[in-house]
Amino acid sequence: MKPIETMPAMQAMFLPDVENNPQPSSTTDLIRIAQSAGTEYPKIWHLFAYRPEATTHLGAFTQEIMRGDGPVSASISPGLRELIAAFTSSANECPF
Amino acid sequence: MPYIRVSEKLPGIRSLFAFRPETATPMSELAEVLLHQPGTLSPADRELIATYVSSENDCYYCQTAHGAIAAHHLGGNEALVIDVKRDFEHAAISDKLKALLAIAGKVQRGGKNVQPEDVERARREGATDLEIHDTVLIAAAFCMFNRYVDGLATWAPTDLDGFRERAAKVARDGYLGVLGYIAEARASGNGS
């Protein structure tokens, strides 16, 4: 088994245009708050803030699959769903 | 034979969309934004990226469906779609698309495979940050779609004419049309 990865320190992204051009969105507000407080934040926020017209659907998808109470997933608790997500991310070596 | 009880009338991802409309809606809307809405990359280029990733993932339904849509956008040039799947570096496509396909291929094998040189190559060939961003998101989204379709062993037809016919419709109308028949399937109890 591979060792569990630790979070790398915040570093510049491959695409500066993405990092420097957050569009008006709730994620952009979050980035501003974190930046003005000088705290670290997950850089996936920049991906969400760059292309909200696409990522809003990813957000809706995540909300439904992780927290939605559709006929199927209602029988899998949110805790178990997060555990499945965490296990898959670990297998994909994505520490965040 | 699908692992779960889905509609026998619908192939591939469409049977899963009908099974679970709540997740079908945002997935279809994502496909619409990435592949069909106007952008600086042509719909043909974006469908070729989706087709190539699906081919690398060995997903028969997705590579055939999106390969047919790409060919439709290319005036019926199915040979070029096959060339891209087989060896895109030597296919008759732009150097920019080759660089983007190289990035998409790395994402398919795992996101961490993308190196600064890959991004530099794409930039050198004139790709914008938005185009590189969308290439990575198309590749990542299709890894999800491919695994979704094959992880539940959905059924797919072997008749290519059916794919061609549907491709013409999707190329024209986009990806939100599925939401209509999902609602119908739901109403008639064919969903879950």
Side-chain angles (χ1 to χ4, degrees):
Chain A
M1 207 178 137
K2 282 185 222 122
I4 292 169
E5 284 188 67
T6 50
M7 282 295 289
M10 286 184 80
Q11 40 183 259
M13 295 168 63
F14 278 162
L15 305 178
D17 269 13
V18 171
E19 191 159 358
N20 298 329
N21 285 300
Q23 303 301 306
S25 68
S26 54
T27 318
T28 301
D29 299 340
L30 281 176
I31 293 171
R32 298 270 178 261
I33 293 167
Q35 284 176 340
S36 63
T39 56
E40 288 196 338
Y41 59 92
K43 290 253 174 166
I44 195 174
W45 288 1
H46 283 293
L47 299 180
F48 284 145
Y50 179 63
R51 196 91 155 83
E53 70 275 26
T55 52
T56 186
H57 306 304
L58 279 175
F61 172 76
T62 308
Q63 173 68 21
E64 176 57 37
I65 205 77
M66 299 309 288
R67 302 306 298 267
D69 53 2
V72 183
S73 61
S75 52
I76 306 178
S77 73
L80 186 51
R81 291 183 228 175
E82 294 291 351
L83 208 51
I84 293 169
F87 173 73
T88 306
S89 299
S90 163
N92 278 332
E93 295 177 57
C94 185
F96 174 70
Chain B
M1 185 76 174
Y3 293 139
I4 58 175
R5 267 195 291 166
V6 296
S7 163
E8 285 163 19
K9 287 179 224 140
L10 295 170
I13 204 163
R14 293 164 63 202
S15 66
L16 303 177
F17 280 173
F19 182 81
R20 188 81 155 92
E22 298 86 348
T23 46
T25 305
M27 288 171 102
S28 302
E29 285 168 337
L30 180 64
E32 171 73 14
V33 174
L34 289 178
L35 300 177
H36 191 251
Q37 280 180 10
T40 51
L41 287 177
S42 70
D45 285 359
R46 290 179 269 162
E47 292 288 352
L48 281 174
I49 294 168
T51 303
Y52 174 67
V53 169
S54 302
S55 166
E56 289 294 292
N57 278 327
D58 198 23
C59 181
Y60 168 77
Y61 176 79
C62 295
Q63 65 172 292
T64 310
H66 290 277
I69 298 166
H72 185 90
H73 284 305
L74 293 165
N77 192 346
E78 296 181 358
L80 182 59
V81 176
I82 293 168
D83 287 349
V84 165
K85 288 202 278 189
R86 202 169 284 158
D87 180 9
F88 69 80
E89 293 285 7
H90 295 98
I93 53 173
S94 70
D95 288 337
K96 180 167 112 177
L97 183 55
K98 287 180 187 176
L100 294 175
L101 284 165
I103 291 175
K106 297 243 178 139
V107 172
Q108 184 272 332
R109 295 194 285 282
K112 287 193 175 65
N113 291 306
V114 182
Q115 296 298 308
E117 307 86 81
D118 302 314
V119 177
E120 277 157 29
R121 176 186 171 193
R123 284 220 180 87
R124 231 178 13 249
E125 300 298 348
T128 64
D129 275 20
L130 179 59
E131 290 165 346
I132 297 169
H133 170 279
D134 281 14
T135 296
V136 172
L137 188 49
I138 291 170
F142 272 80
C143 285
M144 170 169 71
F145 297 144
N146 298 159
R147 286 163 193 185
Y148 184 40
V149 162
D150 284 337
L152 288 165
T154 59
W155 164 83
T158 49
D159 166 38
L160 292 182
D161 280 338
F163 280 105
R164 291 186 186 109
E165 209 172 290
R166 183 157 175 85
K169 193 168 145 43
V170 172
R172 188 188 64 226
D173 301 335
Y175 289 91
L176 300 181
V178 292
L179 302 178
Y181 73 71
I182 289 168
E184 277 171 39
R186 209 100 246 240
S188 65
N190 275 346
S192 49

